[in-house]
Amino acid sequence: MQRLCGRGLLLSLAVAAAAVMAARLMGWWRPRASLRLFIPEELARYRGGPGDPGLYLALLGRVYDVSSGRRHYEPGAHYSGFAGRDASRAFVTGDYSEAGLVDDVSDLSFSEMLTLQNWLSFYEKNYVCVGRVIGRFYSEDGQPTPELTHVEAMITKGLEANKQEWKEKQKFPPCNTEWSAARGSRFWCSQHSGGVSRDWIGVPRKLYKPGAKEPHCVCVRTTGPPSEQMLDSPTHRNRGDLDHPGLQEYPGCPPLAITCSFPL
């Protein structure tokens, strides 16, 4: 029996290279001669009950032997509804009703597809892949269906979006914020604000993003060249990213203060 049906890797989505992940996803999708093909009715026999031939579940068409996690999936256990079927949608929605324990993920968002990818990595790492389910994600000859290709594309785009979001967060880390009825609001920057460790502190600014209804507070570097400019460029004004067109100062807060307070 083959241990893995793909490469089980838990990557940090924020920094994962989308092209690399896409190649790994293709490894997951690719059919293998040693893997068994199930029809849904056959997979339904593998619920871990008395007389059942085993305890399997499927995710995005891939079948995993979860016998080693029996206490989670056997009849009466919290996740017993996942056994003997492909309930990919419920991994995201948390709907464990019969209506929710289905494999239709066609309307999920990019971020929800990434949640599925995380679960897929979990099962690849912790359980044995034993086959494929014929139906939504795999054809009768074990080939990926157009729907599975769509899922792969969504995951790849989600990874690309996360990579861009992380890059933006490195440039403009979120501010620390607090509010109280007694003191009002306070925004401030530190070398670790927004969960981004760096060698500069920055100052609070409103960042307006295209399409966003409201700005949010970010910390802005105040020295050196703009982020888009080469470090050794002699033409910069030594103002960091302060002149970025999407930024606005907080009224009443000194331009270079690292803390802005707004009493009630």
Side-chain angles (χ1 to χ4, degrees):
M1 179 180 292
Q2 193 162 344
R3 174 62 185 168
L4 295 178
C5 65
R7 299 181 182 176
L9 299 175
L10 289 173
L11 297 177
S12 169
L13 295 180
V15 298
V20 173
M21 179 54 72
R24 288 171 181 153
L25 291 173
M26 287 303 295
W28 279 336
W29 308 151
R30 191 176 299 117
R32 299 187 180 185
S34 61
L35 292 172
R36 179 179 174 183
L37 294 177
F38 293 82
I39 60 173
E41 294 78 9
E42 183 182 13
L43 181 61
R45 297 173 52 222
Y46 288 78
R47 296 187 182 275
D52 288 353
L55 181 55
Y56 295 173
L57 65 73
L59 175 59
L60 293 177
R62 284 175 288 285
V63 181
Y64 295 93
D65 183 343
V66 294
S67 299
S68 61
R70 173 172 295 277
R71 65 190 180 91
H72 300 296
Y73 304 104
E74 65 184 351
H78 186 66
Y79 299 112
S80 61
F82 287 93
R85 70 175 95 196
D86 188 330
S88 295
R89 186 179 186 85
F91 281 95
V92 174
T93 65
D95 181 356
Y96 300 159
S97 68
E98 284 299 310
L101 290 164
V102 295
D103 61 358
D104 183 6
V105 298
S106 58
D107 61 343
L108 297 186
S109 66
F110 289 122
S111 62
E112 289 171 328
M113 288 292 188
L114 291 181
T115 298
L116 279 181
Q117 187 265 330
N118 278 343
W119 277 112
L120 189 63
S121 293
F122 170 80
Y123 283 99
E124 287 287 321
K125 179 181 179 180
N126 292 285
Y127 295 102
V128 177
C129 179
V130 295
R132 305 283 191 265
V133 184
I134 296 171
R136 186 179 296 274
F137 301 114
Y138 287 94
S139 63
E140 292 184 356
D141 58 359
Q143 294 294 324
T145 64
E147 185 144 354
L148 185 56
T149 301
H150 171 71
V151 170
E152 178 196 4
M154 289 279 286
I155 290 175
T156 301
K157 288 180 180 178
L159 289 167
E160 291 172 347
N162 273 8
K163 182 182 177 182
Q164 182 59 38
E165 183 179 340
W166 180 250
K167 183 179 178 181
E168 182 77 8
K169 191 175 180 180
Q170 295 287 310
K171 178 180 176 181
F172 293 130
C175 303
N176 298 310
T177 64
E178 69 176 8
W179 180 90
S180 72
R183 293 187 297 270
S185 299
R186 182 166 77 101
F187 306 110
W188 75 99
C189 296
S190 69
Q191 287 187 318
H192 303 285
S193 55
V196 179
S197 297
R198 53 196 187 273
D199 59 4
W200 52 274
I201 295 176
V203 296
R205 289 290 188 273
K206 296 179 182 180
L207 176 63
Y208 290 84
K209 290 187 175 182
K213 294 182 179 180
E214 298 291 337
H216 65 279
C217 183
V218 297
C219 296
V220 181
R221 188 167 48 82
T222 61
T223 60
S227 296
E228 292 80 9
Q229 193 168 325
M230 297 299 292
L231 291 175
D232 58 355
S233 174
T235 61
H236 71 80
R237 300 169 55 198
N238 196 34
R239 286 176 50 82
D241 291 309
L242 288 174
D243 297 320
H244 187 281
L247 298 172
Q248 182 178 320
E249 294 181 9
Y250 280 94
C253 184
L256 296 180
I258 64 173
T259 299
C260 295
S261 297
F262 304 98
L264 294 176

